[in-house]
Amino acid sequence: MSANGPARAGGSAEGALPVAGPAGTRRAGLRLIRRDGRAFTLMIVLNVLAAAAGLVGPWLLGRIVDTVRDGGGVQAVDRLALVIVVCAAAQLLLARYAWYVGHRFGERTLARVREEFVDRALALPAATVERAGTGDLTARGTADVATVARTLRDAAPEVFISVVQAVFLLGAVVVLDPRLGACGAGLLGCLFAARWYLRRAHTAYLAEGAANSALAELLAANAAGARTIEALGLRERRTTASEEAIERCRRTRTRTLFLRSVLFPAVDISFVLPVVGVLLIGGALHGQGAVRLGVVVSAALYLRQVSEPLDKILFWVEQLQSSGAAFARVEGLARAPKSARAAGAAAARVPAPSPAGDPSPVDDRIDVSGVRYAYGGGNGDDGDSGRDRTGAPAGTGTHPGDVLHGVDLTIRPGERIALVGPSGAGKSTLGRLLAGIEAPRTGSVTVGRVPISALPPETLRRQVVLVTQEHHVFLGTVRDNLRIAAPEADDAALRAALAAVGAEWAAELPDGLDTELGAGGHRPDGAQAQQLALARVVLADPHTLILDEATALLDPRTARHTERALAAVLAGRTVIAIAHRLHTAHDADRVAVMEGGRLTELGTHDDLVAADGAYAALWRSWRSRPGERPDAPAAPGADGAP
């Protein structure tokens, strides 16, 4: 039912999907914690109890040393040793259960992250995905989500446990003897190293993620366009571009490796210094009788133990930085639909609707008023707050990149209208604006007096659907591919939709609607894939259908058969056909002629032929083509464009 745009030749920063800032990422993290607050609280309590149980062992060991030194008996030592064993077992059980609760919390939270990502990705406007490229979206949905998954499942619970343990251990040393506790200041070197690392790591990992996305997109474009690259002799150029992208990935990866190579040695030294300080200072104080030997032993053990949780924290610092950048990219997706929607409303010069008060079209009439549009600059969907990229206020003047120039058009409910004109006249661009894929730079496109760009995606697709010659067959069965458009449709409705577009081949498949499509199953050819897309349109049941090269991949006989089959389905609907075969224009209620981004003629076929203008010239040229039959009957509006 929808179509992807052509693969881009390379990635660029312009049009990239947004990335959440640190504040937005923190808010998203807190929101996820609140959604499972009971489990998170239980994890905190269990970790605190486990850390408290872990403090008993070193303290009692110091007591044992003092007991032996003071001549205590074996029975006293055995009692203390038994308490150590019990506390160690309690710490093990509490920590194990805390780990279990933490991992379950992480898995549930990860499921929510995945579900939100899928919902947001499906809600993205097609124009946003086309400008950003599929590589960025794919990298966020695979590598970035996987990185977040590892953090939520493994890093977050372990880091939290380690932080609690480290705080308790350092506090225990201070309680034993503040002078020995001062030796813990040696760990500040670890903090300084971590601070140096953290100030640089976030930017470095964002750059690494962006480079990986650009490389993924470039490789996907090379794979998809391999035949074109070979036919046009572009192998060397594309190889050079790929090598440059790989080199950017290598440089960003080397940068993060350098940061780690500085961090870890500095940390190792910081772990040793406090223990050495306790032994030297504690030994001197003990020699003066200022501190008992057991206290020195306990303090040294505590500071030696603190290295373990700190080591875990620093071990996961890289993962936390990487996942922080990944989470910012994943969470940034939430800003794209909202920005596009608000910008679309701004372009139509109306307030952006609130989610709780979405507008509802009052009827099916489509109005285009004073629309101007420029690819790559200054359009309403760029969210520029009322000014185009030239700095001029939105709604005034012209833009050097305009491909539409002040188009005005009203399409009545149930009308069949054909958009015709030479290549590059702006027909497909106007079709994209009518479908809400793009927002105009100035002017407005409304359906039932509501700006099309302000409609939520699910509402928009019930109003207007654009069908092009591009299509996609999803992995899964025939039934799965069709139910994308109508999840509640039964098999009878699915078969009726296939029959409506002339897809008799589906009934001949070995497993019928349960036949798997794609690798390992039935591989639909271009015509069959396009018929599947048209069947999805039938199931979506919109009131307005925009056809842009909708039957271009079908051979003439099959195309005419499909057009006739669609005629019954399209009866009573508004049909806007971007027409190449002018028999479509001949049968339309009205014909809109586009030249140079302007609407130059509008009227019935007979009136425009009689006017002897641009349309009459197109009509005479088309009639003179060998094999064309302008008087042949056709399905109204069911045609494609050049």
Side-chain angles (χ1 to χ4, degrees):
M1 180 168 63
S2 61
N4 295 325
R8 296 192 308 169
S12 66
E14 183 178 355
L17 293 171
V19 176
T25 305
R26 285 194 297 270
R27 285 194 298 269
L30 292 174
R31 172 175 52 82
L32 290 171
I33 290 174
R34 285 195 297 269
R35 292 185 65 179
D36 204 355
R38 182 176 300 179
F40 187 77
T41 302
L42 179 59
M43 181 177 67
I44 292 176
V45 172
L46 290 172
N47 281 314
V48 169
L49 293 176
L55 296 178
V56 177
W59 178 71
L60 290 179
L61 188 59
R63 290 284 305 276
I64 290 175
V65 170
D66 289 338
T67 299
V68 172
R69 183 179 178 82
D70 295 340
V74 175
Q75 189 175 7
V77 173
D78 288 343
R79 284 197 301 270
L80 294 174
L82 180 60
V83 176
I84 291 176
V85 171
V86 171
C87 290
Q91 181 188 19
L92 177 63
L93 294 175
L94 289 168
R96 179 69 179 178
Y97 190 49
W99 177 87
Y100 171 77
V101 172
H103 274 246
R104 287 180 60 85
F105 166 80
E107 290 292 346
R108 286 193 298 269
T109 305
L110 171 61
R112 295 187 179 102
V113 171
R114 290 188 186 278
E115 291 166 358
E116 288 180 355
F117 181 85
V118 171
D119 291 341
R120 291 165 178 172
L122 293 176
L124 283 175
T128 301
V129 178
E130 289 176 1
R131 281 192 292 271
T134 55
D136 190 10
L137 187 60
T138 301
R140 294 184 189 218
T142 54
D144 289 340
V145 170
T147 299
V148 173
R150 287 194 299 271
T151 300
L152 293 174
R153 185 183 61 246
D154 301 324
E158 287 202 27
V159 167
F160 186 82
I161 293 171
S162 298
V163 167
V164 173
Q165 290 176 341
V167 170
F168 274 52
L169 289 169
L170 290 174
V173 177
V174 174
V175 170
L176 281 174
D177 191 293
R179 293 167 296 183
L180 298 181
C183 296
L187 294 171
L188 291 176
C190 173
L191 298 179
F192 288 134
R195 184 173 181 272
W196 175 89
Y197 175 82
L198 294 175
R199 293 178 62 181
R200 295 161 175 80
H202 185 72
T203 301
Y205 277 106
L206 281 177
E208 184 178 348
N212 290 337
S213 293
L215 178 60
E217 181 183 344
L218 184 60
L219 294 178
N222 287 345
R227 293 185 179 180
T228 302
I229 293 171
E230 185 69 25
L232 298 180
L234 301 176
R235 178 183 297 179
E236 183 175 349
R237 184 183 305 177
R238 299 300 290 180
T239 299
T240 300
S242 299
E243 290 174 348
E244 291 174 353
I246 293 172
E247 175 61 21
R248 285 193 293 271
C249 286
R250 187 196 65 80
R251 288 198 302 268
T252 57
R253 180 64 174 168
T254 300
R255 172 63 176 167
T256 57
L257 286 171
F258 165 74
L259 295 177
R260 294 195 296 275
S261 69
V262 173
L263 174 67
F264 292 140
V267 167
D268 290 338
I269 294 174
S270 299
F271 286 161
V272 174
L273 291 178
V275 178
V276 173
V278 164
L279 294 177
L280 292 176
I281 296 175
L285 292 174
H286 176 67
Q288 298 172 5
V291 65
R292 294 177 64 84
L293 180 60
V295 172
V296 176
V297 171
S298 296
L301 288 174
Y302 281 138
L303 289 177
R304 180 66 187 87
Q305 285 185 357
V306 82
S307 65
E308 182 178 352
L310 289 180
D311 195 43
K312 285 185 179 180
I313 293 172
L314 295 171
F315 174 80
W316 286 110
V317 160
E318 176 190 356
Q319 178 71 28
L320 290 173
Q321 286 302 300
S322 177
S323 65
F327 191 33
R329 285 162 50 80
V330 171
E331 187 61 27
L333 208 63
R335 300 170 55 190
K338 179 179 179 181
S339 297
R341 204 173 150 205
R349 300 191 295 276
V350 299
S354 65
D358 289 328
S360 298
V362 297
D363 55 35
D364 298 340
R365 192 179 79 173
I366 296 177
D367 291 296
V368 180
S369 303
V371 164
R372 297 179 183 273
Y373 181 82
Y375 281 107
N379 295 306
D381 57 353
D382 289 323
D384 51 10
S385 300
R387 301 187 70 86
D388 66 24
R389 293 186 184 180
T390 66
T396 63
T398 62
H399 188 281
D402 277 349
V403 294
L404 294 179
H405 307 276
V407 176
D408 294 291
L409 178 65
T410 295
I411 303 169
R412 297 182 292 270
E415 184 176 24
R416 298 168 297 176
I417 190 166
L419 294 179
V420 303
S423 297
K427 303 184 301 297
S428 293
T429 300
L430 181 57
R432 291 170 65 83
L433 268 65
L434 290 170
I437 294 175
E438 304 282 1
R441 183 175 69 82
T442 65
S444 65
V445 181
T446 64
V447 56
R449 305 176 194 173
V450 176
I452 285 181
S453 296
L455 292 175
E458 60 276 9
T459 303
L460 174 61
R461 292 303 157 232
R462 292 196 299 268
Q463 304 289 328
V464 183
V465 167
L466 171 67
V467 182
T468 74
Q469 67 172 334
E470 298 166 353
H471 50 270
H472 188 75
V473 177
F474 298 90
L475 292 177
T477 64
V478 176
R479 182 184 290 103
D480 295 334
N481 270 264
L482 296 176
R483 280 187 172 170
I484 290 172
E488 304 301 324
D490 58 20
D491 288 358
L494 302 183
R495 293 190 180 95
L498 291 169
V501 298
E504 290 87 357
W505 55 269
E508 300 173 0
L509 294 174
D511 297 318
L513 295 176
D514 292 318
T515 301
E516 292 285 339
L517 300 180
H522 176 73
R523 292 179 178 270
D525 57 27
Q528 292 174 345
Q530 197 158 41
Q531 287 174 324
L532 280 174
L534 293 175
R536 287 197 287 263
V537 173
V538 174
L539 291 165
D541 195 27
H543 71 66
T544 297
L545 195 60
I546 303 172
L547 302 176
D548 187 355
E549 299 187 87
T551 58
L553 294 181
L554 306 181
D555 61 79
R557 181 177 179 181
T558 305
R560 299 294 293 217
H561 178 69
T562 301
E563 290 163 7
R564 291 190 182 96
L566 274 172
V569 177
L570 299 179
R573 301 180 190 279
T574 304
V575 179
I576 305 166
I578 300 174
H580 172 50
R581 300 168 186 149
L582 290 191
H583 62 70
T584 300
H586 177 275
D587 297 329
D589 296 326
R590 285 192 299 164
V591 179
V593 182
M594 306 236 9
E595 294 181 284
R598 291 178 171 84
L599 186 61
T600 58
E601 292 183 312
L602 180 64
T604 66
H605 164 80
D606 293 337
D607 289 344
L608 294 184
V609 169
D612 198 25
Y615 177 75
L618 286 172
W619 178 254
R620 287 193 295 268
S621 174
W622 183 76
R623 288 185 65 183
S624 66
R625 296 181 185 179
E628 296 290 359
R629 295 180 56 202
D631 58 339
D639 195 13

